[in-house]
Amino acid sequence: MDFFLVEDSVAIRRLLARRLDTLPGTRVVGEADAAPQAIAMIDWLQPHTVLLDITLAVGTGLDVLRELRARGFRGRILMLSHHDLDAYRDLCLQAGADGYYTKGGGLENLFTDLDELLQSERASGRQTRPSSLLRDPVTGLLGQVALLERLDQVLRMPSPEPHWLAVTVVALRGLESLVQSNGLTATAPLLVDIGRRLAQGTGASDLLARHADEQFALVVNRVASAEQADELAARLNAALDEPFPLGEQSLKLDFDSGMALYPRDAISARGLLTLAESRAFGARLPANGSAVVH
């Protein structure tokens, strides 16, 4: 079951993500702390369940709830609040919420209900399983499953001092047409070369993956500041802007890139990756959804 977390408190988001991680068959596919970002990401990712706080950094959970239902979102929406008042509960349920839980003792009720729901789905055989591909066969880089597992391990490791982590997604345009025109054998060196350029200047603890057919991901484990993250993005774009050899031709790569920072932007592995992916595409989000989720 895919979950999206909408919560302005990083600490509570981390608590929710870790508790969900203990329930078999769950995965956090995205995060947001403000209404506009939440609406756009949920509309794109179409998760099965949204955990939605009423109080947000920008806008309110009720704004998100009403807009999602107005857009026809049919997933489960469970509201979270500090307010244990019937008036808030009734307002949310009337607007289309599927449940209402307080952040005190009510969270235990939430996870009990979710555990029962997941057991029911397992019994009915409705759960889907991710691909087991650990390495990309063309480039030898990490595949999506291995990337998410390694990134999750990195995020869980204790650190003696606070630092940021940068996740960059590079989305290639026209790769499928290029493969069809030239063949995979002729195009494979190009993909390997892209991986080499992205790896320049990375450290032993950083991660590089081809996690989807037309996407690469780079995880830089220690970033001191937002300014350093911007410098990293500029270096990566400059490296990919240089022409690539393709047989006897020279090819200018058509690509977009996006970055998400831990813990500022998201605190879960898949949440960081889907946010970076969405920022790479900007307003042109693919109609078939995220490569990290579907």
Side-chain angles (χ1 to χ4, degrees):
M1 184 185 293
D2 292 345
F3 284 81
F4 194 98
L5 308 181
V6 187
E7 166 63 59
D8 63 332
S9 166
V10 173
I12 295 178
R13 239 186 300 143
R14 183 179 285 113
L15 168 66
L16 293 171
R18 288 180 176 175
R19 286 294 301 270
L20 287 171
D21 196 43
T22 67
L23 300 178
T26 67
R27 59 180 188 175
V28 176
V29 299
E31 306 168 37
D33 65 356
Q37 179 186 338
I39 293 166
M41 291 289 288
I42 293 168
D43 197 33
W44 182 47
L45 297 173
Q46 293 293 307
H48 302 116
T49 302
V50 176
L51 300 186
L52 176 57
D53 187 15
I54 286 184
T55 305
L56 301 176
V58 178
T60 70
L62 275 170
D63 297 333
V64 177
L65 172 61
R66 288 167 175 152
E67 181 61 24
L68 289 176
R69 291 310 190 204
R71 294 184 181 205
F73 177 69
R74 301 181 67 179
R76 190 179 293 104
I77 301 178
L78 304 178
M79 305 300 294
L80 308 178
S81 175
H82 288 295
H83 305 290
D84 189 13
L85 298 174
D86 289 342
Y88 281 96
R89 186 186 310 273
D90 293 345
L91 194 59
C92 291
L93 296 178
Q94 289 169 9
D98 298 286
Y100 184 97
Y101 299 86
T102 61
K103 292 184 181 178
L107 285 183
E108 291 306 318
N109 295 333
L110 166 67
F111 288 106
T112 298
D113 290 349
L114 289 175
D115 190 31
E116 292 177 356
L117 179 63
L118 288 160
Q119 289 183 40
S120 173
E121 289 207 347
R122 284 195 294 273
S124 65
R126 287 202 300 267
Q127 287 185 298
T128 57
R129 301 185 183 275
S131 165
S132 60
L133 187 64
L134 297 179
R135 289 277 174 180
D136 172 50
V138 177
T139 63
L141 299 175
L142 295 176
Q144 185 175 134
V145 172
L147 170 64
L148 289 165
E149 288 179 351
R150 300 276 188 90
L151 178 53
D152 187 59
Q153 291 171 3
V154 170
L155 296 177
R156 291 172 181 271
M157 289 177 60
S159 175
E161 57 186 26
H163 68 281
W164 287 2
L165 176 147
V167 176
T168 301
V169 166
V170 175
L172 309 177
R173 292 193 205 166
L175 180 61
E176 185 177 350
S177 299
L178 202 62
V179 172
Q180 290 177 351
S181 300
N182 297 273
L184 182 58
T185 301
T187 312
L190 168 66
L191 297 172
V192 173
D193 200 9
I194 291 172
R196 287 200 194 102
R197 294 196 192 184
L198 289 172
Q200 291 174 359
T202 59
S205 62
D206 299 332
L207 305 173
L208 179 60
R210 184 182 177 216
H211 64 285
D213 287 344
E214 296 190 338
Q215 293 184 26
F216 287 76
L218 174 64
V219 178
V220 176
N221 192 21
R222 291 191 174 273
V223 178
S225 64
E227 290 75 17
Q228 189 178 38
D230 290 339
E231 292 172 2
L232 169 65
R235 287 200 306 272
L236 294 175
N237 288 337
L240 297 179
D241 270 333
E242 293 295 321
F244 286 81
L246 181 63
E248 298 180 355
Q249 307 174 38
S250 182
L251 174 71
K252 183 79 169 177
L253 197 64
D254 191 5
F255 71 96
D256 293 296
S257 65
M259 179 181 288
L261 299 178
Y262 169 89
R264 187 192 71 180
D265 298 329
I267 49 88
S268 64
R270 204 178 295 269
L272 287 162
L273 201 57
T274 54
L275 182 57
E277 180 190 20
S278 72
R279 288 175 172 173
F281 288 113
R284 302 179 307 278
L285 293 175
N288 59 349
S290 165
V292 185
V293 175
H294 299 287

